[in-house]
Amino acid sequence: MPAPLKLYDNFTRSLRVFEPLRAGAAVGIYTCGPTVYDYQHIGNFRTFLFEDELKRVLEWNGYAVRHVMNITDVGHLTSDADTGEDKMEKGSRRTGRTAWDIAKLYTEAFLEDMQRLNIEPPTVLPRATDHIAQQIEFIADLERNGYTYRTADGIYFDTSKQADYGYLARLDKAGLEAGKRVELGDKRNITDFALWKFSPPGAKRQMEWPSPWGMGFPGWHIECSAMAQQYLGDYFDIHCGGEDHIPVHHTNEIAQTEARVGTRLANFWMHGYFLLENDAKMAKSAGEFLRIQALIDRGYDPLAFRYLCLTGHYRSQLNFTWDALDAAATGLDRMRRGFLALEARPDAQPDALLVEHFTAEINDDLNLPRALAVAWETLRGDLLEPVKRATLERFDRVFGLGLATWQPMQEQAPAEIEQMAQARAAARKARDWKEADRLRAAIHAAGWDVEDRPDAFLLKRRSP
Ligand code: AMP
Ligand code: ZN
């Protein structure tokens, strides 16, 4: 009997057995996607990697997954208190390009990095700017249900109308109210948030739309409620994001959906905890930040970063250091070489006991560090090589390290070695085995080995 899948739900603050809401249907997952005003940093990718692992673990358990990830290309302000500038307009000023151009540029860069990290693409990748009508409709329903009010700069959600507002974050509403500062502006309560912001009087924004309340743009939280509802329905299985989303963004998504349809949006709320840099928060607004490209520029395989993330549990913060990345790169290299050296046999099956052990680890709230330990046990153990190989290949469905497709970097052999190998290939073709063997020995003596492939040969430098 395989171990049941248990996931930590931040809403109930408990480990719960996962059961899909709709038996037989795909598991619905919504994950908050990137704000595309700049590149994503490696911290963002830690969260996206956690979400990818979650999907892979669900798939391992036999579920089909319907994954929706939004692209935030409007409405995310520089301050969570609904003040400050739209990050897109700010990014536009920084780069001298239009807000639409930078949205395109950074969305493409994000998708390229996702691919480099072997993250499975979402089923649906909706852009906020393509769903303005749905957001307006959502706000109109909230207005009809009596949850909104108007200020000089927008339409706001009145959080005092909901007794359980802030439950996800266990918000201390009284404490927040008492500590409120000038940033309250025209808002009635410190936790109230913008649903629709008006374009500044007399100014034309690059991204603005007409609405029943006036020209403007949607608040950041409404896009997720609207798009989640459109693509996953009123109440779906799992909602994810980074830990920073708990007190504001996800709290507000829940408030909106409850106010519109009366359900609590998602059955499980899961959060990836932060990647820190030198024990401090990694933030794009700080200006300098590490991208996947920076790792590549330093000679790292992006999958070494994926391996690094597998070594820490998603519910603990992880401190990024170059030493830690070095250790991950070494671990990955050893695992790849160990795997490559294993004899392959097409009919080999994974070892049932190890698969069961592995399942118990990943089903224990995605314990990937312990699952990695099972993989190492497999590689170092005394099973037959083809069984080890089949077992590791199966595990890699969850790790996503591409073990079966990896090849060591080919070093170009010098011309005379290449010529000898060509001559040997010709000798083999002519069935002159003696000459072929002589050439193989000569190549070997010169420090190279030749391996035969169905239609070619491969030259590899001999290890010292
Ligand atoms: P953003 O592009 O800022 O909207 O963030 C994209 C995702 O990355 C969100 O789920 C954030 O919660 C998450 N995130 C932001 N900073 C970090 C970090 N340092 N470590 C892990 N996840 C992060
Ligand atoms: Zn969101």
Side-chain angles (χ1 to χ4, degrees), residues 30-33 70 72 220-221 223-224 239-240 245 249-250 253:
Y30 189 91
T31 63
C32 293
N70 63 305
T72 299
W220 169 37
H221 319 299
E223 69 172 273
C224 287
H239 196 310
C240 303
H245 286 347
H249 182 54
H250 288 172
E253 280 186 44

Side-chain angles (χ1 to χ4, degrees), residues 190-219:
I190 190 76
T191 45
D192 292 358
F193 55 91
L195 296 163
W196 187 262
K197 292 273 282 186
F198 303 135
S199 296
K204 182 159 172 46
R205 281 174 46 95
Q206 296 182 43
M207 291 175 155
E208 60 179 8
W209 296 265
S211 82
W213 311 281
M215 195 59 115
F217 60 100

Side-chain angles (χ1 to χ4, degrees), residues 123-144:
T123 324
V124 194
L125 197 72
R127 277 193 299 257
T129 52
D130 286 338
H131 296 78
I132 301 296
Q134 290 86 339
Q135 296 173 71
I136 290 177
E137 229 172 86
F138 205 115
I139 301 167
D141 279 351
L142 295 179
E143 190 174 44
R144 214 167 294 128

Side-chain angles (χ1 to χ4, degrees), residues 31-48 50-51 69-70 72 76 87 110 220 240-246 249-250 271-277 280-284 317-318:
T31 63
C32 293
T35 308
V36 287
Y37 70 110
D38 205 333
Y39 293 105
Q40 293 286 292
H41 57 54
I42 59 173
N44 301 129
F45 282 108
R46 181 182 188 210
T47 292
F48 301 136
F50 141 64
E51 293 157 351
M69 177 190 270
N70 63 305
T72 299
H76 196 164
K87 291 187 178 188
F110 162 70
W220 169 37
C240 303
E243 60 170 312
D244 55 326
H245 286 347
I246 301 170
H249 182 54
H250 288 172
H271 297 94
Y273 284 70
F274 266 16
L275 183 71
L276 309 177
E277 195 179 357
K281 186 179 169 205
M282 196 174 277
K284 276 183 268 184
Q317 294 187 329
L318 182 70

Side-chain angles (χ1 to χ4, degrees), residues 3 59 80 139 156 218 245 285 311 326 328 339 360 367 408:
E59 283 160 1
D80 275 350
I139 301 167
Y156 280 78
H245 286 347
S285 47
T311 64
D326 279 340
F339 179 87
N367 200 326

